[in-house]
Structures are given as C-alpha cells and as structure tokens.
Amino acid sequence: MAEALIALGAPTQWQHEILEAIRIQQDAEALPELARSYLSYAHLLAAAGDIQPARVHLAQAIDIFGRMGMDRDLGRAEQVLRQLA
C-alpha cells in the first residue's frame, strides 16, 4: 500500500498530507489516531527508503500504543520495527 501511494504522487504531497493529519491529531490530543498516523508515516518513510526517520516515528507510535494499552496495534508497530532492523 505504501509503495503504491508513493508511486502515485510526489513525496512532498503525501508527506504534507500526513504531517498535517499528525499536527491536527496532536492539537486535538487524539492519541489513538496520532499513534496510527505515526505508524502509517513510518510505513511510507520505510517504503521511500528513509529508514532512520521511520524508526523515530515507529518509536513514537510504540510509546503511545504502550501507554494506552493498545496491545494489538503495539504488536503491529513492534513487528514493523523488527523488520527495519
């Protein structure tokens, strides 16, 4: 999915859109949605070859998922992080 999105548009377009969503979610303190956006962004970054920034966003997602007890999402994020190792 991430690869398809990247192929459809310039990186600045998808980055702008997801970063705007993250900003809105941060402002609204919508933590579950924010963590999922961090996870999605990490997928996109990894697909684009930006591994270190992907790890940073995965760490943010993992932190929120863990604090909120969102075990299913936490497991998915940890799996993605292991794949990037």
Side-chain angles (χ1 to χ4, degrees), residues 31-41 61 65 70 73 76:
L31 294 181
E33 294 82 3
L34 177 60
R36 289 186 183 116
S37 290
Y38 283 144
L39 179 56
S40 294
Y41 191 36
F65 290 143
M70 298 174 68
D73 292 298
R76 289 187 317 148

Side-chain angles (χ1 to χ4, degrees), residues 10-64:
T12 54
Q13 180 61 35
W14 61 259
Q15 284 179 332
H16 171 75
E17 297 298 331
I18 199 158
L19 290 173
E20 179 64 11
I22 287 171
R23 185 194 63 76
I24 291 167
Q25 292 160 352
Q26 287 171 331
D27 289 349
E29 298 180 15
L31 294 181
E33 294 82 3
L34 177 60
R36 289 186 183 116
S37 290
Y38 283 144
L39 179 56
S40 294
Y41 191 36
H43 276 290
L44 290 166
L45 289 168
D50 294 330
I51 303 304
Q52 186 55 34
R55 287 185 181 129
V56 169
H57 290 286
L58 279 170
Q60 292 171 305
I62 288 168
D63 177 59
I64 295 170

